[in-house]
């Protein structure tokens, strides 16, 4: 893979986003957007800083300790860390408020140390204050403090905002449909991740052929190496490298378990590149050959994934790929005898009773973007009032269903069916402890979808071929 350098997007991209946001705030409103806090890992060592996705989406600014204020007319103010030679020697160069307006295309910038002093003044005479609800610890309290300071000035003629609104609702909708720049970054992130998967598969087979002790962490290291050497800042989430039975633990993390010939390995890992996630899962035979029972289950999951891919296109509902997957898996579980038709009935019965759930207990996908489980409502906004109720056949709980989101070009989602077979008396022993998931990243198009993660194959013959010497 070539390591092409890619230009950072110009400040105008972020200015356009801020203008689109401002146009939705209503009159006399102001939006407050903090970035993420720095977090201590232990004592005085911090976790690698990751900016808040909303903040970065609107500014492209990656420093910690910063805030954006955007008014209805689009006027944007940044609060950021002031220049400080001593701190910069330890922590790195800061942009600083003097250089920020030109560098970021914003209207004004102040040191973040002046935030509490300036904010009440900026909220004065506004009618609405927007900020992300329930996402930043303590933010509600700070807004409250600023509003109290405004109210204290009412006797001098100041008007205090009367309504507070959740900024997530607006920004989630904007982020749900990706622009050309975002799609380009996501394609590149997926390509890097795919090549990490290929390398991990090949390393696994090579080490086993050489008679070496292979551990899950060896493959984790291979993924990380490939991510970082192509410029990814970090994995987009904790990598899952699961040998054998560990694959049946859905949130397993790469650990030190040995990987043995004859077992399957499930890797769910994707890099984050310039703020965008990828999310790929492959399940391969440790020594490069699927056994017959492994292959039977693998082929079933692959067919279920293909059905979901075929159901992913603009105009379809988000839930349709999941329904297509469940249908194929349910039929396959009956055909393979994992579900006994004398007990569970027909495929329609299996779907209605959710009898498949013991082998397939998660959804077939989620939005993908800056966050691996990206923001965006799964309900069609114009139809939220259309509620139907049903009783869940397994838990007995009352579920409220609302119409599923209608897919549009530029939305990105994962397609990730799986099967997880735990030991049980009523399950043929040959299937015990097999866990399989196949996950790809898709961009919705008018005609269907573009799979951006297929530089690592899913076809079992192709996987076996790339693992051969
Ligand atoms: N890696 C998390 C997920 O697949 O959703
Ligand atoms: Mn996923
Ligand atoms: Mn995943």
């Amino acid at each position: 893979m070539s390591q092409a350098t890619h230009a950072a997007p110009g400040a105008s991209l972020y200015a356009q986003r801020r203008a689109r946001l401002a146009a939705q705030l209503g009159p006399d409103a102001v939006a407050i957007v903090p970035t993420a806090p720095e977090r201590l890992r232990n004592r005085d060592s911090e976790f690698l800083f990751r900016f808040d996705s909303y903040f970065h989406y609107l500014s492209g600014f990656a420093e910690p300790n910063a805030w954006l204020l955007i008014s209805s007319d689009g006027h944007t103010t940044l609060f950021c860390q002031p220049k400080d030679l001593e701190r910069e020697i330890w922590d790195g160069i800061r942009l600083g408020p003097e250089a920020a307006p030109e560098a970021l295309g914003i209207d004004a910038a102040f040191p973040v140390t002046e935030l509490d002093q300036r904010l009440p003044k900026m909220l004065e005479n506004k009618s609405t204050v927007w900020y992300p609800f329930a996402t930043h610890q303590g933010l509600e309290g700070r807004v409250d403090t600023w509003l109290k300071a405004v109210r204290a000035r009412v006797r001098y003629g100041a008007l205090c905002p009367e309504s507070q609104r959740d900024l997530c609702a607006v920004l989630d909708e904007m982020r749900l449909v990706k622009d050309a720049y975002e799609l380009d970054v996501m394609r590149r992130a997926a390509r890097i991740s795919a090549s990490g998967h290929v390398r991990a598969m090949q390393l696994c087979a090579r080490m086993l052929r050489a008679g070496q002790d292979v551990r899950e962490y060896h493959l984790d290291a291979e993924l990380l190496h490939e991510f970082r050497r192509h410029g990814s800042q970090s994995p987009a989430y904790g990598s899952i490298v699961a040998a054998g039975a560990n694959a049946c633990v859905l949130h397993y993390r790469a650990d030190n378990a040995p990987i043995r010939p004859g077992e399957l390995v499930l890797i769910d890992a994707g890099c984050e590149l310039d703020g965008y996630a990828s999310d790929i899962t492959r399940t391969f035979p440790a020594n490069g050959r699927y056994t017959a029972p492994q292959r039977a289950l693998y082929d079933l999951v692959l067919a279920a994934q293909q059905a979901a891919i075929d159901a992913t296109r603009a105009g379809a509902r988000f839930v349709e790929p999941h329904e297509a997957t469940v249908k194929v898996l349910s039929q396959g579980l009956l055909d393979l005898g994992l579900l006994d038709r004398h007990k569970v009935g027909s495929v329609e019965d299996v779907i209605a009773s959710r009898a498949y759930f013991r082998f397939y207990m998660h959804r077939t996908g989620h939005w993908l973007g800056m966050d691996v489980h990206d923001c965006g409502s799964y309900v069609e906004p114009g139809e939220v009032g259309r509620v139907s109720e049903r009783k869940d056949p397994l838990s007995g709980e009352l579920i409220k269903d609302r119409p599923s989101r209608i897919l549009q070009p530029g939305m990105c989602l994962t397609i990730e069916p799986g099967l997880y077979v735990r030991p049980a008396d009523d399950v043929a022993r040959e299937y015990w402890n097999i866990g399989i998931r196949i996950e790809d990243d898709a961009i919705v198009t008018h005609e269907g979808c573009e799979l951006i993660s297929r530089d690592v194959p899913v076809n079992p013959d192709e996987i076996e071929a790339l693992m051969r010497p």
Side-chain angles (χ1 to χ4, degrees), residues 237-238 240 251 268-269 279 281 366 372-373 414 416 437 439:
Y237 52 91
I240 297 170
H251 286 165
D268 182 346
D279 183 7
T281 307
H366 51 81
V372 61
H373 296 167
T414 64
E416 51 175 309
R437 180 163 63 257
E439 176 173 29

Side-chain angles (χ1 to χ4, degrees), residues 175-409:
R175 282 174 50 191
L176 182 52
V177 178
K178 275 68 179 173
D179 60 36
Y181 165 74
E182 296 180 289
L183 294 177
D184 175 56
V185 180
M186 290 184 69
R187 287 189 187 98
R188 285 190 282 124
R191 275 206 296 275
I192 294 168
S193 300
S195 78
H197 278 260
V198 169
R199 278 184 60 146
M201 288 177 188
Q202 290 176 330
L203 177 84
C204 187
R206 199 163 61 238
M207 286 182 73
L208 284 178
R209 276 197 298 274
Q212 291 166 340
D213 178 30
V214 191
R215 301 278 167 159
E216 292 165 341
Y217 58 73
H218 288 120
L219 309 195
D220 191 27
E222 197 73 359
L223 293 161
L224 196 54
H225 176 83
E226 190 67 4
F227 294 175
R228 289 292 282 142
R229 95 188 176 91
H230 288 293
S232 150
Q233 290 78 10
S234 82
Y237 52 91
S239 301
I240 297 170
V241 180
N246 294 337
C248 294
V249 180
L250 294 180
H251 286 165
Y252 187 81
R253 295 284 287 270
D255 203 344
N256 64 356
I259 298 176
R260 301 189 180 89
E263 285 182 337
L264 290 178
V265 182
L266 182 153
I267 295 185
D268 182 346
C271 73
E272 179 175 303
L273 181 71
D274 299 342
Y276 287 83
S278 53
D279 183 7
I280 302 180
T281 307
R282 291 292 183 264
T283 311
F284 56 92
N287 58 341
R289 281 294 290 186
Y290 291 93
T291 65
Q294 289 168 354
R295 177 77 186 239
L297 288 189
Y298 189 93
D299 286 342
L300 174 54
V301 177
L302 189 58
Q305 198 207 27
Q306 189 56 51
I309 292 166
D310 294 342
T312 303
R313 64 180 176 284
R317 302 263 177 186
F318 176 84
V319 74
E320 288 181 43
H322 180 66
E323 289 169 345
T325 269
V326 162
K327 199 165 171 189
V328 173
L329 290 179
S330 298
Q331 183 64 57
L333 289 167
L334 288 170
D335 294 345
L336 292 172
L338 279 150
L339 288 174
D340 180 351
R341 51 181 98 239
H342 301 296
K343 289 191 187 138
V344 295
S346 67
V347 68
E348 289 76 22
D349 298 330
V350 169
I351 295 168
S353 65
R354 298 215 295 144
Y356 61 84
F357 190 79
R358 75 184 269 213
F359 302 112
Y360 182 48
M361 60 299 278
H362 59 76
R363 305 281 297 183
T364 304
H366 51 81
W367 305 130
L368 182 72
M370 298 190 82
D371 304 340
V372 61
H373 296 167
D374 207 30
C375 58
S377 173
Y378 290 97
V379 173
E380 181 59 23
E383 300 176 322
V384 277
R386 267 184 51 207
V387 187
S388 56
E389 282 189 352
R390 67 183 164 87
K391 211 177 194 161
D392 181 78
L394 296 179
S395 67
E397 267 181 63
L398 205 60
I399 312 269
K400 285 194 194 319
D401 281 324
R402 297 172 198 274
S404 172
R405 191 80 199 221
I406 297 172
L407 300 178
Q408 295 171 35

